[in-house]
């Protein structure tokens, strides 16, 4: 949705966070972080996941605490020098969208994505679950299972715009097809994508910060991951993945990690 707002000139990828939220104040280089910095995880600010996420998937901070946390969180790397995934950064982007549009994040989702794409099985945060919803379980050491409480469920929770959206496999297929159609339209001569809600996809897919990789081929974070295949795409994975595209001609892939729960 950031691309949609930027397309309407509210705000820009280069807009600094303090221009939208004057209460964001730091005494170092991160005082001038931009929307693009937040989206590409290159602020250098510590993620502080242990501060907001408790056991049983309980989120213990409210959204109002996101920017104050960014004000005092320590630095772990220089600005725009190293990739460092930060969930709170995406929460702040959600608040930027609300501030610049005058709408709630849920209303923006409905107006801009859910309704245009007819994602009838897509829900956000505190919208109620129904009987046709998958459940998550953890396997315990004694071989029994433990049902995990749902992630990202509740009212006014921190990280809502980062990971509180629930959908079906078919809904995700519709969403990602629209994203790729918009991206292809954006690079084709004469392509307009007039009936597609997603905008400025070439800018969103533009590489922003390099990622550590076992290959010398391109492996970079745009506003989402992209890699030049063949390659080993192993960011955030807890197993050793195979090399994707082995033996095939070089081609650029764009990908993102989702979790089924």
């Amino acid at each position: 949705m950031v691309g949609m707002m930027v397309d309407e000139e509210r705000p820009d990828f280069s807009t600094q966070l303090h221009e939208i939220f004057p209460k964001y104040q730091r005494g170092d280089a991160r005082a001038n972080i931009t929307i693009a910095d937040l989206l590409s995880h290159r602020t250098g600010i510590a993620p502080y996941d242990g501060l907001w996420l408790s056991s049983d998937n309980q989120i213990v901070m409210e959204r109002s605490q996101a920017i104050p946390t960014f004000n005092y969180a320590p630095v772990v790397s220089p600005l725009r020098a190293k990739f460092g995934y930060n969930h709170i950064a995406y929460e702040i982007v959600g608040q930027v969208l609300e501030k610049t549009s005058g709408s709630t994040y849920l209303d923006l989702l409905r107006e801009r994505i859910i309704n245009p794409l007819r994602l009838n099985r897509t829900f956000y945060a505190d919208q109620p679950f129904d009987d046709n919803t998958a459940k998550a379980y953890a396997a315990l050491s004694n071989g029994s299972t433990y049902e995990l409480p749902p992630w990202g469920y509740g009212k006014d929770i921190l990280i809502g715009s980062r990971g509180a959206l629930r959908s079906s496999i078919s809904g995700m297929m519709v969403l990602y097809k629209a994203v790729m159609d918009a991206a292809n339209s954006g690079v084709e001569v004469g392509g307009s994508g007039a009936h597609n809600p997603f905008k400025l996809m070439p800018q969103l897919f533009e590489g922003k910060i390099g990622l550590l990789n076992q290959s010398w081929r391109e492996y970079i974070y745009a506003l989402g991951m992209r890699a030049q295949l063949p390659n080993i795409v192993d960011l955030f994975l807890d197993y050793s993945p195979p090399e994707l595209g082995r033996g095939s001609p070089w081609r650029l892939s764009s990908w993102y990690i989702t979790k089924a729960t």
Side-chain angles (χ1 to χ4, degrees):
M1 291 193 292
V2 176
M4 303 174 196
M5 294 290 103
V6 172
D7 187 57
E8 298 170 9
E9 300 183 355
R10 47 174 189 159
D12 191 77
F13 291 118
S14 61
T15 299
Q16 296 183 355
L17 180 58
H18 69 79
E19 297 177 52
I20 301 172
F21 290 109
K23 63 181 180 180
Y24 174 69
Q25 299 177 356
R26 288 186 67 105
D28 55 22
R30 285 131 205 94
N32 299 315
I33 60 174
T34 65
I35 305 303
D37 294 328
L38 293 168
L39 288 171
S40 56
H41 301 292
R42 62 184 187 186
T43 65
I45 296 176
Y48 262 21
D49 289 348
L51 189 65
W52 56 267
L53 181 61
S54 184
S55 59
D56 271 354
N57 279 340
Q58 298 302 302
I59 297 174
V60 297
M61 291 174 59
E62 296 181 350
R63 303 184 69 213
S64 60
Q65 297 172 286
I67 292 176
T69 300
F70 244 46
N71 283 341
Y72 70 74
V75 171
V76 294
S77 64
L79 177 64
R80 300 174 190 140
K82 185 178 180 181
F83 175 87
Y85 206 94
N86 196 307
H87 295 87
I88 297 178
Y90 267 57
E91 166 61 41
I92 292 174
V93 170
Q95 296 185 27
V96 167
L97 291 173
E98 291 181 323
K99 182 72 177 293
T100 55
S101 68
S103 299
T104 67
Y105 192 75
L106 175 56
D107 287 341
L108 285 172
L109 280 172
R110 286 172 171 164
E111 175 188 349
R112 301 280 180 156
I113 297 177
I114 294 176
N115 291 340
L117 297 180
R118 300 179 180 178
L119 302 177
N120 300 322
R121 293 287 302 156
T122 298
F123 309 97
Y124 177 71
D126 61 339
Q127 290 183 280
F129 288 85
D130 59 23
D131 293 335
N132 188 22
T133 301
K135 297 179 179 181
Y137 294 86
L140 304 182
S141 58
N142 63 3
S144 63
T145 60
Y146 175 76
E147 182 179 339
L148 298 173
W151 154 267
Y153 179 72
K155 187 175 180 61
D156 196 37
I157 57 170
L158 188 79
I159 318 300
S161 54
R162 163 59 188 91
L165 197 64
R166 311 185 302 274
S167 190
S168 63
I169 296 297
S170 60
M172 293 174 64
M173 295 294 289
V174 170
L175 175 71
Y176 286 129
K177 183 179 186 303
V179 167
M180 296 311 301
D181 285 348
N184 291 330
S185 177
V187 298
E188 291 172 356
V189 176
S192 63
H195 301 294
N196 193 305
F198 295 103
K199 306 297 180 184
L200 304 184
M201 296 309 296
Q203 291 93 320
L204 291 170
F205 278 22
E206 183 181 73
K208 297 294 189 297
I209 189 77
L211 302 173
L212 294 177
N213 187 26
Q214 302 177 46
S215 169
W216 56 270
R217 299 185 183 95
E218 178 182 316
Y219 191 32
I220 200 165
Y221 199 92
L223 305 180
M225 275 76 76
R226 80 179 199 188
Q228 186 180 42
L229 301 181
N231 212 323
I232 298 174
V233 288
D234 56 354
L235 191 66
F236 309 133
L237 300 181
D238 55 3
Y239 59 89
S240 298
E243 182 181 29
L244 298 183
R246 177 180 295 179
S248 65
W250 289 6
R251 62 186 305 177
L252 194 64
S253 68
S254 179
W255 61 288
Y256 203 80
I257 296 173
T258 57
K259 295 182 178 179
T261 58

